[in-house]
Amino acid sequence: MPMPDRRFLLLQGPHGPFFNQLGAMLRAAGCAVWRVGFNRGDAVFWREPAGYLRFDAPPETWPETCREIIAKHGITDLALYGDTRPIHAQAVAIAAELGLVVHVFEEGYLRPYWISYERDGANGHSRLMQMSVAEMRAALARTQSDAVQAPAVWGDMRQHVFYGALYHFFVMVLNGRYRHFRPHRELSVLSEFRLYLRRLLLMPLYTAERWAAGLRIRHGGFPFHLVLLQLEHDASFRAHSPFASMTEFIDLCMQGFAEGAPRHHHLVFKAHPLEDGRVGMRAAIHAAAARHAVAGRVHFIRGGKLAALLAEARSAVTVNSTAAQQVLWRGLPLRAFGRAVFDKPEFVSTQPLAEFFARPDRPDSRAYRDYRQFLLETSQIPGGYYSSRGRRQLMRQIVDLMLAAEDPYDALTSGKAAPRQQLQRMK
């Protein structure tokens, strides 16, 4: 079957080899592929020199350059990782104006075993934001699939941290030809590299510290509520949150807990697995606990797996962390404050926080299971960006989804979606 003339432009991807492998698979499918590199880290992980386009001009010229690249190469498709960093947001707006297909990759809404693939936008810009559970159930009625169970292991945290450190190292020491490059985050590249390297070197110490904190919580014998912290520099928090900082969110949680929770209940703050110390979460939590006179009932645990804590928690609070999906999967009450694809009235509480800590509303677990199944049949793709095994699994179906005429949501609604379950069992 002959392929239509598809011409892809790739911007920035996850740290590591994923976008290079994606480009190779697209070329194998008969597509033309170009990649724009904004720094030396982008260049190192791209192995097709003929398709590499270096952007080393001032950032304010990027929109004009983007239009020129699209016109010169007859681009039909734009692919990128995350849609909120300035260069990506500008490119997405241009692509929408010109009628290009926009492919947006993100970390999985049902991570860690799945990644997210959507068209036009992700997180607060996702089509899921406008879709009701009733619409999802109607689409699922056209399928015969069973619920998918997530595997118990996630194999690429170390690879994730390693590629992050390596990427920032290349940008820090070999970026001479990209003199106008500015990172989309506030910290300098040198600071980012130091934080990644520090986390990589201190992983054994963090593991021991986390084990000790978890032991104190599990053996404390007290009811507790869980606060799921996020990375303050994460795009989902910055673009789709009502808070200016995580410290502001921490203080809100502490105030609600002090005002509403029974006096024998405790509050556990769990840091994001990739938290690197740039914000000082522990100090902020201790200070807020002291201000609200609950210091003896507040705990901090650094990263790690969530399942053991959720097995004993009474409820959970977050801004818009995707870890909330694990909360809902277990039928626990959830309070969220930011724009999130899981924020549906059937299973996310809207109670004032003090009331939530006192008597939290339980979610409609049947509604959530239908929502979860809808995601697994559409935008959640098995595999990962950082481990070689995860990338192999991802490559088995991602290019077919990108080349499909309909996006995953429309394909399921129209009854044309591929049988996803069989693909997910492949190793």
Side-chain angles (χ1 to χ4, degrees):
M1 178 179 175
M3 285 294 303
D5 184 20
R6 301 288 290 271
R7 306 171 74 80
F8 282 79
L9 180 65
L10 278 57
L11 301 186
Q12 290 192 300
H15 297 150
F18 170 67
F19 257 28
N20 180 67
Q21 291 181 236
L22 177 64
M25 188 70 76
L26 286 167
R27 289 192 295 272
C31 305
V33 182
W34 290 267
R35 166 81 186 271
V36 179
F38 297 86
N39 58 55
R40 185 59 176 163
D42 294 337
V44 166
F45 290 109
W46 186 255
R47 299 302 186 190
E48 180 58 37
Y52 185 75
L53 307 173
R54 187 176 79 251
F55 178 76
D56 56 6
E60 58 270 19
T61 68
W62 164 241
E64 179 184 355
T65 302
C66 182
R67 289 180 180 277
E68 291 173 354
I69 292 172
I70 290 171
K72 177 180 179 180
H73 298 288
I75 299 299
T76 61
D77 295 73
L78 179 71
L80 41 82
Y81 171 71
D83 61 354
T84 59
R85 64 185 66 178
I87 56 174
H88 285 180
Q90 292 164 348
V92 168
I94 292 169
E97 175 190 329
L98 298 176
L100 276 60
V101 181
V102 179
H103 308 267
V104 182
F105 292 89
E106 256 293 2
E107 301 296 335
Y109 296 144
L110 300 178
R111 69 182 74 171
Y113 195 67
W114 293 275
I115 65 98
S116 293
Y117 164 72
E118 297 178 274
R119 295 191 185 175
D120 300 324
N123 294 311
H125 298 144
S126 168
R127 288 184 58 191
L128 291 168
M129 299 297 298
Q130 285 74 49
M131 299 177 68
S132 69
V133 173
E135 291 172 321
M136 296 176 187
R137 282 172 165 162
L140 286 171
R142 299 179 176 87
T143 72
Q144 301 296 323
S145 300
D146 297 325
V148 180
Q149 299 297 322
V153 295
W154 179 17
D156 64 359
M157 174 56 78
R158 286 183 175 82
Q159 292 95 324
H160 190 162
V161 176
F162 169 77
Y163 280 125
L166 190 60
Y167 179 91
H168 285 92
F169 172 79
F170 289 133
V171 176
M172 181 178 64
V173 302
L174 299 174
N175 220 42
R177 300 182 70 185
Y178 299 85
R179 60 192 183 282
H180 295 291
F181 172 71
R182 298 291 182 272
H184 64 282
R185 294 172 180 163
E186 295 176 358
L187 288 184
S188 68
V189 174
L190 175 59
S191 297
E192 288 271 5
F193 170 72
R194 285 173 173 168
L195 288 170
Y196 271 103
L197 183 60
R198 180 175 181 269
R199 175 158 184 81
L200 195 63
L201 295 175
L202 291 179
M203 271 189 168
L205 178 62
Y206 290 161
T207 300
E209 177 188 305
R210 183 168 60 245
W211 178 84
L215 195 65
R216 287 193 298 271
I217 294 166
R218 289 194 299 273
H219 290 268
F222 44 74
F224 67 88
H225 306 266
L226 194 60
V227 179
L228 303 172
L229 298 174
Q230 295 168 241
L231 300 176
E232 189 171 290
H233 58 276
D234 182 74
S236 185
F237 179 82
R238 294 174 68 91
H240 307 298
S241 160
F243 303 103
S245 67
M246 283 305 300
T247 303
E248 184 181 336
F249 171 64
I250 288 168
D251 194 72
L252 178 72
C253 291
M254 207 75 73
Q255 179 180 350
F257 177 76
E259 293 175 353
R263 297 186 66 177
H264 62 292
H265 285 206
H266 287 228
L267 190 62
V268 176
F269 287 85
K270 181 188 179 297
H272 189 280
L274 292 174
E275 178 58 49
D276 52 23
R278 71 182 66 187
V279 174
M281 295 288 189
R282 186 193 295 275
I285 290 166
H286 287 169
R291 277 196 306 274
H292 295 283
V294 291
R297 299 160 55 200
V298 173
H299 310 265
F300 173 77
I301 187 165
R302 188 191 296 274
K305 293 183 179 179
L306 189 56
L309 289 171
L310 289 178
E312 298 179 345
R314 300 293 295 273
S315 70
V317 181
T318 187
V319 178
N320 53 8
S321 170
T322 55
Q325 303 272 7
Q326 297 187 47
V327 177
L328 293 169
W329 176 241
R330 289 164 173 80
L332 293 175
L334 175 70
R335 182 70 169 91
F337 288 90
R339 286 172 53 82
V341 297
F342 56 78
D343 189 8
K344 306 296 181 186
E346 289 86 352
F347 37 78
V348 176
S349 173
T350 58
Q351 296 169 277
L353 197 50
E355 180 184 329
F356 177 82
F357 281 125
R359 294 172 300 278
D361 291 338
R362 294 190 63 180
D364 180 342
S365 292
R366 289 186 178 180
Y368 177 72
R369 288 171 188 269
D370 290 339
Y371 162 88
R372 180 181 185 273
Q373 184 65 21
F374 179 82
L375 262 62
L376 289 172
E377 292 289 346
T378 53
S379 62
Q380 302 306 285
I381 316 302
Y385 299 124
Y386 307 105
S387 70
S388 57
R389 178 181 179 182
R391 291 192 299 274
R392 285 197 303 270
Q393 189 170 17
L394 187 54
M395 288 299 166
R396 291 193 177 105
Q397 56 184 301
I398 192 62
V399 168
D400 287 342
L401 290 172
M402 295 175 74
L403 296 178
E406 295 180 299
D407 82 352
Y409 301 130
D410 288 335
L412 185 67
T413 301
S414 66
K416 299 177 183 177
R420 188 71 60 83
Q421 303 308 105
Q422 293 180 6
L423 291 171
Q424 285 179 331
R425 293 191 182 103
M426 292 174 62
K427 300 296 182 185

